[in-house]
Amino acid sequence: HSLFGETNMAPTNRLNAISQLIKVIRNQRVIIDSDLAKLYDVQTKALLQAVKRNHSRFPDDFAFRLTKEEFLSLRSQIVTSNSKRGGRRSHPIAFTEQGIAMLSSILRSEKAILVNIEIMRTFVQMKRIATNYAEFEKQIKKWSVDTTKNFEWYSMQFENCCIPKQR
């Protein structure tokens, strides 16, 4: 009953592995259907069939199909189905955090529950990191302004005391 089939994988490693699957598309953090299927240890086709049977639970802000341009820009990052059998027949579906949470209501296996818990923890951790980064950036900007003011003050003091006035 462990994520990625490794019974001794550390929580930090699980979070890192999941965070690498999260992409930003349309200014939203999402995970692509094929990556979710791997995490849940199901075929992408089975995952999408379950979503299709429960389509009313997945409005556009929970899950959306990638456009051709979005798909092409991500193709190098996405592992698609075997090209010998024709590859993907449609563009992938991207699931937002809310859509992934909704998946737990239609995928009722123990594995799906455990995977969803790890995914939700990863999203929370990413929000914490983003918040900490924003605070850090704000502090650096403040220091920059303070340093500039200090430099200007010291420069003026130097000019007043050490540079002779021209007459």
Side-chain angles (χ1 to χ4, degrees), residues 3 7 14 31 57 59 66 78 92 95 102 108 110 113 132 140:
L3 194 57
T7 56
R14 289 193 301 264
I31 300 181
R57 294 179 185 234
L66 299 186
I78 301 171
F95 290 85
M102 188 60 73
R108 296 192 180 108
E110 186 67 24
I113 292 167
N132 290 343
I140 288 175

Side-chain angles (χ1 to χ4, degrees), residues 8-63:
N8 59 355
M9 183 181 257
T12 303
N13 292 341
R14 289 193 301 264
L15 290 176
N16 287 338
I18 292 170
S19 68
Q20 291 182 16
L21 300 177
I22 297 173
K23 313 289 183 218
V24 177
I25 302 174
R26 300 181 194 175
N27 294 318
Q28 296 185 75
R29 288 188 182 105
V30 298
I31 300 181
I32 304 302
D33 55 13
S34 56
D35 291 333
L36 283 168
K38 285 179 196 162
L39 290 173
Y40 295 132
D41 199 23
V42 298
Q43 292 183 350
T44 304
K45 181 179 178 179
L47 177 96
L48 294 177
Q49 285 173 340
V51 170
K52 189 173 181 179
R53 282 192 303 271
N54 296 276
H55 70 276
S56 63
R57 294 179 185 234
F58 297 94
D60 289 343
D61 56 330
F62 282 32

